[in-house]
Amino acid sequence: MAIFLDTGKISDIEKYLKMGIIRGVTTNPTILLKEGITGGMKGIKDRTIKIAELIDPYPLSVEVTTNDREGMFRQAKDIARWAKNIVVKITIHGPKGELDNLEVVHELETKHDIRINVTAMMSAQQCFLAAMAGASYVSLLGGRVNNMGYNVIEDIKCLRSLLDTYKLKAQIILASTREVLNVIEWLRAGAHIVTVVPSFLDGMIIHPYSKETVQMFLDDAARGEIKAEPLAVARKKGKA
Ligand code: E4P
């Protein structure tokens, strides 16, 4: 799977989809708010359906907007009906450490056949338990872990080895990218997927020395054309 785009912006998704370098999209309420999506679930639904159609068959993660147990069930079932490639995001626990969430994840995955991405996780042990609960994706917020002064790399290695050892189906999404380097280093450490801020993809593609090299090719091509012209003219006149 490798690279997902962490955005709700249609033009960015179109741009990188056309290049063939993304395999899914992730959103969250903060990303959608920054995109100017308001109007509650109605606003989220409209944008979600647009993105889901655009990237089909690639997956689109959309987060529930409540931490109430029944509310999470209701929203998840509703969101999952909006398009067939939707994955519902649910946080590992509530804002005060409320523990309803994994039960909701387990039931939605195993009894309702809804794909779940468990999010807001900062450690391998959280992700491991979310994977045990049956989540299809486990999102480790690498940039936020690093912001706290820890290096997330060891957690990625540990988590990947646990998932492989116990043959758990969950795919590891490394989220919360903070620098271009994160993409390759997190994939190399064992993440199945890194979800990337759009601008970082340009940063991965563009290299100053490539620019210089391309300019050299173009300059020499132009010089070659100038020299070739008299030869072509001469050939036409039968002199060469
Ligand atoms: C993605 O799924 C996460 O919600 C997102 O990457 C969080 O990013 P942030 O830490 O920059 O808010």
XYZ file of all heavy atoms in Angstrom, residues 4-7 25-31 34 61 63 89 117-120 122 139-145 147 173-178 186 195-197, ligand 1:
301
model
N -0.402 6.870 1.626
C -1.734 7.477 1.640
C -1.530 8.996 1.744
O -0.464 9.450 2.178
C -2.535 7.039 2.875
C -3.090 5.629 2.822
C -2.803 4.753 1.789
C -3.933 5.177 3.848
C -3.318 3.454 1.770
C -4.459 3.887 3.837
C -4.153 3.025 2.804
N -2.551 9.750 1.362
C -2.492 11.198 1.495
C -3.357 11.621 2.683
O -4.509 11.195 2.798
C -3.007 11.831 0.200
C -2.483 13.210 -0.170
C -0.968 13.220 -0.273
C -3.102 13.685 -1.481
N -2.786 12.444 3.565
C -3.477 12.870 4.785
C -4.090 14.248 4.525
O -3.509 15.271 4.877
C -2.430 12.929 5.916
C -3.044 12.847 7.304
O -4.185 12.392 7.432
O -2.348 13.220 8.274
N -5.241 14.265 3.903
C -5.843 15.546 3.500
C -7.329 15.376 3.164
O -7.784 14.257 2.942
C -5.125 16.106 2.250
O -5.606 17.429 1.980
C -5.382 15.270 1.008
N -6.478 7.597 1.140
C -6.557 8.933 1.753
C -7.046 8.775 3.194
O -7.879 7.918 3.493
C -7.524 9.846 0.949
C -7.805 11.153 1.691
C -6.962 10.141 -0.446
N -6.477 9.596 4.091
C -6.954 9.631 5.479
C -7.397 11.063 5.803
O -6.796 12.031 5.328
C -5.841 9.211 6.468
O -4.651 9.948 6.182
C -5.537 7.730 6.370
N -8.449 11.152 6.616
C -8.901 12.473 7.080
C -9.157 12.370 8.577
O -9.132 11.276 9.140
C -10.224 12.888 6.394
O -11.255 11.959 6.759
C -10.103 12.933 4.885
N -9.369 13.499 9.185
C -9.857 13.537 10.570
C -10.635 14.841 10.721
O -10.591 15.693 9.814
C -8.693 13.388 11.573
C -7.687 14.524 11.505
O -8.057 15.680 11.308
N -6.413 14.208 11.666
N -11.358 15.047 11.808
C -12.168 16.262 11.926
C -11.332 17.540 11.833
O -11.801 18.562 11.301
C -12.806 16.122 13.317
C -12.856 14.656 13.565
C -11.606 14.107 12.940
N -10.098 17.515 12.318
C -9.237 18.703 12.267
C -8.861 19.044 10.831
O -8.927 20.207 10.407
C -7.966 18.455 13.123
O -8.370 17.999 14.408
C -7.120 19.700 13.257
N -8.495 18.027 10.070
C -8.140 18.224 8.653
C -9.339 18.797 7.893
O -9.203 19.736 7.101
C -7.699 16.868 8.029
C -6.297 16.479 8.517
C -7.752 16.899 6.506
C -5.845 15.080 8.103
N -9.981 22.444 8.755
C -8.997 23.319 8.082
C -9.381 23.526 6.620
O -9.064 24.535 6.017
C -7.603 22.684 8.147
C -6.848 23.019 9.423
C -5.415 22.522 9.344
C -4.858 22.323 10.736
N -3.862 21.257 10.823
N -10.224 6.904 4.893
C -10.540 6.847 6.323
C -11.291 8.099 6.758
O -10.834 9.220 6.498
C -9.258 6.741 7.157
O -8.706 5.457 7.073
N -13.360 9.778 10.216
C -13.449 9.577 11.665
C -14.846 9.879 12.215
O -15.499 10.826 11.752
C -12.411 10.499 12.330
C -12.124 10.165 13.764
C -10.799 10.788 14.234
O -9.851 10.928 13.431
O -10.730 11.153 15.417
N -12.767 5.592 11.124
C -11.739 5.821 12.145
C -12.376 5.989 13.515
O -13.318 6.775 13.682
C -10.988 7.123 11.829
C -9.694 6.925 11.092
C -9.158 8.270 10.686
C -7.742 8.451 11.072
N -7.225 9.762 10.634
N -10.216 1.789 11.280
C -8.858 2.310 11.463
C -8.828 2.899 12.881
O -9.499 3.896 13.149
C -8.612 3.387 10.392
C -7.312 4.142 10.568
O -6.598 3.950 11.550
N -7.019 5.025 9.617
N -8.098 2.245 13.786
C -8.033 2.782 15.159
C -6.929 3.834 15.197
O -5.799 3.595 14.765
C -7.783 1.668 16.199
C -7.689 2.263 17.606
C -8.923 0.651 16.161
N -7.280 5.007 15.709
C -6.379 6.152 15.594
C -6.043 6.785 16.952
O -6.460 6.294 17.989
C -6.984 7.199 14.625
O -5.989 8.180 14.316
C -8.221 7.886 15.214
N -5.243 7.853 16.869
C -4.788 8.626 18.044
C -3.890 7.783 18.943
O -3.863 7.992 20.155
C -5.985 9.189 18.825
N -0.194 6.296 20.325
C 1.155 6.820 20.534
C 2.146 5.727 20.915
O 3.292 6.014 21.230
C 1.148 7.870 21.668
C 0.100 8.950 21.514
S 0.397 10.035 20.111
C -1.237 10.748 19.912
N -3.413 3.200 13.463
C -2.683 4.438 13.169
C -1.841 4.888 14.348
O -2.364 5.227 15.421
C -3.659 5.560 12.789
O -4.175 5.348 11.502
N -0.531 4.880 14.127
C 0.435 5.336 15.125
C 0.855 6.750 14.705
O 1.331 6.941 13.577
C 1.621 4.365 15.119
C 2.788 4.566 16.076
C 2.332 4.635 17.532
C 3.809 3.419 15.913
N 0.657 7.710 15.583
C 0.909 9.112 15.220
C 2.377 9.472 15.474
O 2.727 10.108 16.474
C -0.068 10.031 15.974
C -1.418 10.259 15.263
C -2.134 8.957 14.927
C -2.340 11.135 16.065
N 3.208 9.040 14.536
C 4.666 9.135 14.677
C 5.192 10.517 15.021
O 6.028 10.665 15.915
N 4.694 11.530 14.339
C 5.183 12.893 14.577
C 4.880 13.354 15.990
O 5.671 14.032 16.639
N 3.713 12.965 16.479
C 3.339 13.360 17.853
C 4.201 12.626 18.876
O 4.559 13.191 19.899
C 1.844 13.101 18.100
C 0.975 14.077 17.318
C -0.490 13.941 17.646
N -1.243 14.831 16.787
C -2.000 15.837 17.220
N -2.148 16.056 18.496
N -2.633 16.614 16.367
N 4.542 11.357 18.593
C 5.433 10.605 19.489
C 6.802 11.305 19.519
O 7.362 11.577 20.595
C 5.596 9.139 19.003
C 6.637 8.402 19.836
C 4.252 8.409 19.061
N 7.435 14.362 18.840
C 7.301 15.674 19.507
C 7.459 15.566 21.019
O 7.846 16.520 21.687
C 5.904 16.275 19.250
C 5.761 16.826 17.858
O 6.739 16.966 17.132
N 4.543 17.118 17.457
N -0.490 2.053 9.911
C -0.408 3.365 9.246
C 0.412 4.280 10.153
O 0.058 4.481 11.314
C -1.790 4.011 9.031
C -2.695 3.116 8.169
C -1.640 5.389 8.388
C -4.076 3.728 7.875
N 1.509 4.815 9.628
C 2.248 5.835 10.378
C 1.717 7.181 9.935
O 1.746 7.509 8.745
C 3.756 5.689 10.125
C 4.526 5.092 11.302
C 4.640 6.038 12.464
C 3.869 3.785 11.788
N 1.192 7.933 10.899
C 0.534 9.202 10.593
C 1.271 10.330 11.278
O 2.245 10.103 11.996
C -0.908 9.140 11.063
N 0.781 11.558 11.025
C 1.336 12.715 11.706
C 2.780 12.995 11.242
O 3.660 13.223 12.057
C 1.265 12.411 13.217
O 1.628 13.458 14.004
N 2.962 12.988 9.933
C 4.301 13.265 9.380
C 4.725 14.692 9.717
O 3.911 15.613 9.696
C 4.321 13.070 7.850
O 3.161 13.677 7.286
C 4.357 11.613 7.459
N 5.986 14.852 10.043
C 6.511 16.172 10.393
C 7.629 16.616 9.461
O 7.981 17.782 9.401
C 7.046 16.173 11.836
C 5.970 16.001 12.898
C 5.119 17.250 13.056
N 4.108 17.105 14.091
C 2.849 16.691 13.881
N 2.441 16.405 12.670
N 1.998 16.591 14.882
N 10.056 5.583 8.137
C 8.987 4.827 8.795
C 8.611 3.585 7.987
O 8.312 2.540 8.560
C 7.776 5.723 9.041
C 8.025 6.793 10.080
C 9.103 6.862 10.943
C 7.213 7.934 10.383
N 8.991 7.970 11.739
C 7.841 8.655 11.429
C 6.010 8.430 9.867
C 7.307 9.830 11.965
C 5.469 9.593 10.407
C 6.113 10.289 11.446
N 0.946 7.890 5.974
C -0.006 8.860 5.422
C 0.640 10.241 5.474
O 1.087 10.703 6.521
C -1.400 8.773 6.094
O -2.284 9.614 5.350
C -1.414 9.160 7.559
N 0.738 10.856 4.298
C 1.631 11.985 4.092
C 0.894 13.300 3.869
O -0.102 13.332 3.151
C 2.476 11.737 2.807
C 3.571 12.765 2.661
C 3.040 10.352 2.788
N 1.435 14.354 4.437
C 0.950 15.698 4.136
C 1.317 15.975 2.664
O 2.436 15.689 2.253
C 1.674 16.727 5.035
C 1.105 18.107 4.849
C 1.603 16.315 6.486
C -4.007 10.732 10.315
O -4.717 9.807 10.134
C -3.917 11.503 11.563
O -5.173 11.852 12.031
C -3.081 12.713 11.292
O -1.927 12.334 10.576
C -2.695 13.489 12.538
O -1.782 14.467 12.152
P -1.312 15.631 13.132
O -0.547 14.993 14.242
O -0.433 16.475 12.263
O -2.531 16.333 13.594
